[in-house]
Amino acid sequence: MEGEFWNPEMELLSREEIGDLQLKRLREVLERCRRSPFWKEWFREAGFDPEKVSSLADLRALPFMDKETLRGGDPRRFLVVDQEDIVRVHASSGTTGQSTVVFHTARDIETWAELVARCMYMTGVRRYDVFQNMMGYGLFTGGLGFHYGAERIGAMVIPAGSGNSKRQIQLMRDFRTTVVHIIPSYALYLLEVFREMGLDPRRDTDLRMAFIGAEPHTESLRRRLEEAYGIKAYNSYGLSEMNGPGVAFECPFQEGMHVWEDNFLLEVVDPRTLEPVPDGEEGELVFTSLNREGMPLLRYRTHDLSAVYPEPCRCGRAHRRIARIKGRTDDMFIVKGVNIFPMQVERVLLGILGVGSNYRIVLETVESRDEMRVQVEVAGDLWHGEVRELERLRRRIVEELRQEILITPLVELVEPGSLPAGEGKAVRVGGTREHVRGD
Ligand code: AMP
Ligand code: ZN
């Protein structure tokens, strides 16, 4: 296994060593937090004495925090260092409302770059690679986060940013890009652009690997991308409140994402009762940053649903793995009394031959009844084919969706490329119905 580890000392810690290091780091974080007025008050209200923490479980005496806690008011109140020590600010992408702000010291940026380098190296990125970062630069963390990680490895970085599809493809060809970082829904859309340009990514590029993340996506979508681009696609999970990318990442075995537990303390809780759930069971991910200097967060609720894989990984890393994110607790919507996640719809659609590269769920109220309409782009060749074929496809989609979500949706087939394709995170659900969100 020599040479496969960026940071063997951290990556090869045993479970016991991870636990010890976490407790040590947790104590240090609490010690730093004690100095800030915000945390002092937070601890006091909870009747929590940070000096008495002697096990990781003791942290459970603290209340959870989430986006609501961070929103409103001066975001600098979460700093535990002087503002002069801050060198960078980032913010969440704000897909679920007002964005939240996170501050970093120089050391935080360093730690973050190391973590991302660790992720990329784990999957096989090396100095000789050409890495095209197709994520939005700026406040969004997917741009600079990966940029620094890749430079640390010594790969050549193309800071392409998001959008401008034809130019992206041109860059890939001009610089012989081998690795990309891309939003999965955009990667799917980009296939249409390749097709329009008369190009085949398998034949006409040197791509061998992609990092896909920033939004929920299914295994079927990953496999579709791997197949169409002729690459390996690795799932990358992170959130700006925990730096951004580099929180959890797939290893070459592609069976769940290793959470870097030397940096993040993971809890999985039942989103209703907030009680811990056993390994293997689905729950909401909650993180405590163990190695952040400027703005540590304790017991931060992500609203992301996943589960811990109980078995150790074949790659030899004891850092626990989490399953692909099923969705956010606030992604769920209810139609005719049934709880539905957009990813259930995606799983069905992408398993059907003839389905193109984009879809959208529209929720409406028709004559005071909930209706769910699914607009599905059809694959290019089929769209120009026979009407009978299209009708057969439509019926099949209705039937397979009904089996998955237990209600009968309206399915509308649309022309390839006709649905709005964003450059950022896909917005899968729209419509005129009010109060569509569950939770
Ligand atoms: P942001 O803070 O704007 O970067 O958004 C972070 C959120 O994006 C997470 O809390 C997740 O909901 C979502 N996200 C990021 N990476 C993934 C991933 N690999 N799979 C599913 N959702 C993801
Ligand atoms: Zn592994």
Side-chain angles (χ1 to χ4, degrees):
M1 291 282 232
E2 200 195 339
E4 289 177 29
F5 301 91
W6 176 256
N7 183 341
E9 195 192 335
M10 286 298 144
E11 287 173 69
L12 292 174
L13 292 173
S14 66
R15 286 302 322 155
E16 200 188 340
E17 289 165 333
I18 289 174
D20 292 346
L21 180 63
Q22 287 188 321
L23 183 57
K24 177 174 159 280
R25 288 190 166 170
L26 177 63
R27 285 213 183 106
E28 289 164 5
V29 171
L30 293 173
E31 184 53 37
R32 283 205 306 280
C33 287
R34 251 155 46 104
R35 291 182 230 143
S36 94
F38 170 82
W39 288 110
K40 220 183 271 175
E41 182 58 16
W42 190 259
F43 294 159
R44 199 190 55 75
E45 269 180 26
F48 176 80
D49 183 351
E51 288 200 304
K52 292 221 176 95
V53 167
S54 61
S55 76
L56 293 171
D58 289 346
L59 192 64
R60 292 202 201 130
L62 271 186
F64 294 99
M65 53 195 315
D66 67 1
K67 268 203 193 311
E68 285 310 314
T69 328
L70 300 184
R71 276 177 192 150
D74 187 343
R76 285 171 299 190
R77 70 190 183 285
F78 296 102
L79 288 181
V80 304
V81 294
D82 291 339
Q83 203 192 318
E84 295 168 15
D85 295 328
I86 296 302
V87 301
R88 174 100 66 81
V89 58
H90 275 288
S92 70
S93 41
T95 26
T96 59
Q98 196 193 335
S99 68
T100 47
V101 175
V102 179
F103 297 101
H104 302 268
T105 64
R107 180 177 169 276
D108 290 337
I109 297 293
E110 182 85 3
T111 313
W112 183 18
E114 272 296 314
L115 280 172
V116 175
R118 192 196 287 186
C119 295
M120 298 177 85
Y121 196 87
M122 169 166 73
T123 59
V125 176
R126 296 292 181 270
R127 293 176 55 84
Y128 48 74
D129 275 302
V130 177
F131 171 66
Q132 186 165 332
N133 194 7
M134 300 166 69
M135 290 275 177
Y137 275 64
L139 286 171
F140 177 55
T141 55
L144 288 170
F146 260 84
H147 185 104
Y148 276 53
E151 278 191 354
R152 189 152 290 234
I153 290 176
M156 181 175 101
V157 182
I158 309 171
S162 62
N164 209 341
S165 307
K166 290 207 167 103
R167 180 146 183 276
Q168 296 280 5
I169 293 173
Q170 196 59 48
L171 286 171
M172 278 181 204
R173 286 161 58 78
D174 288 350
F175 294 113
R176 297 184 168 267
T177 302
T178 54
V179 183
V180 292
H181 178 209
I182 187 167
I183 292 189
S185 54
Y186 184 65
L188 204 54
Y189 162 78
L190 199 66
L191 286 170
E192 283 293 321
V193 184
F194 269 104
R195 211 173 53 88
E196 276 168 27
M197 292 170 75
L199 298 171
D200 175 353
R202 303 185 70 110
R203 188 191 58 213
D204 301 313
T205 71
D206 289 345
L207 289 182
R208 62 184 191 90
M209 210 190 282
F211 301 119
I212 55 175
E215 66 182 13
H217 56 283
T218 54
E219 183 66 29
S220 344
L221 195 154
R222 182 241 292 274
R223 293 297 167 209
R224 209 180 243 230
L225 294 177
E226 290 195 327
E227 175 66 27
Y229 283 90
I231 55 167
K232 281 277 185 194
Y234 295 95
N235 195 355
S236 154
Y237 171 79
L239 59 157
S240 47
E241 292 83 358
M242 295 292 136
N243 301 340
V247 176
F249 215 84
E250 277 181 339
C251 71
F253 290 97
Q254 295 183 310
E255 289 165 353
M257 299 176 280
H258 288 282
V259 174
W260 298 124
E261 294 182 281
D262 52 325
N263 276 261
F264 306 99
L265 178 63
L266 168 66
E267 297 173 77
V268 186
V269 302
D270 179 319
R272 281 176 306 272
T273 63
L274 299 180
E275 289 301 317
V277 303
D279 279 2
E281 271 181 35
E282 185 178 288
E284 177 179 337
L285 303 177
V286 174
F287 290 105
T288 295
S289 61
L290 293 174
N291 198 15
R292 263 205 338 206
E293 197 177 52
M295 185 174 156
L297 293 176
L298 309 176
R299 306 199 86 200
Y300 183 78
R301 285 183 66 178
T302 61
H303 297 295
D304 293 328
L305 294 170
S306 177
V308 165
Y309 284 32
E311 317 81 26
C313 184
R314 287 181 283 160
C315 73
R317 293 173 184 85
H319 297 261
R320 284 179 303 167
R321 288 169 297 161
I322 52 171
R324 178 180 295 290
I325 309 291
K326 175 179 171 190
R328 299 175 49 83
T329 49
D330 40 17
D331 266 353
M332 192 188 80
F333 53 88
I334 302 171
V335 181
K336 297 176 180 159
V338 181
N339 297 349
I340 302 169
F341 283 95
M343 285 306 106
Q344 290 177 278
V345 175
E346 177 170 307
R347 192 160 49 237
V348 169
L349 292 180
L350 296 188
I352 299 177
L353 202 69
V355 167
S357 55
N358 205 349
Y359 68 93
R360 214 162 79 100
I361 300 166
V362 184
L363 303 177
E364 298 159 317
T365 310
V366 182
E367 291 168 3
S368 67
R369 272 199 334 254
D370 294 346
E371 284 296 352
M372 169 178 170
R373 196 149 49 93
V374 187
Q375 299 174 311
V376 185
E377 283 187 11
V378 175
D381 38 350
L382 201 70
W383 183 254
H384 300 288
E386 284 195 35
V387 175
R388 236 180 345 170
E389 285 296 313
L390 285 174
E391 180 53 20
R392 194 176 302 156
L393 174 66
R394 199 190 61 81
R395 290 225 191 106
R396 172 149 178 229
I397 295 175
V398 172
E399 182 50 30
E400 291 202 17
L401 280 175
R402 195 184 59 77
Q403 286 177 21
E404 169 73 31
I405 61 180
L406 309 174
I407 59 160
T408 308
L410 304 169
V411 171
E412 192 185 321
L413 300 184
V414 301
E415 194 174 350
S418 64
L419 292 177
E423 292 163 3
K425 304 187 188 217
V427 179
R428 294 302 193 187
V429 186
T432 51
R433 203 178 108 193
E434 281 178 33
H435 309 296
V436 289
R437 289 197 179 280
D439 196 45

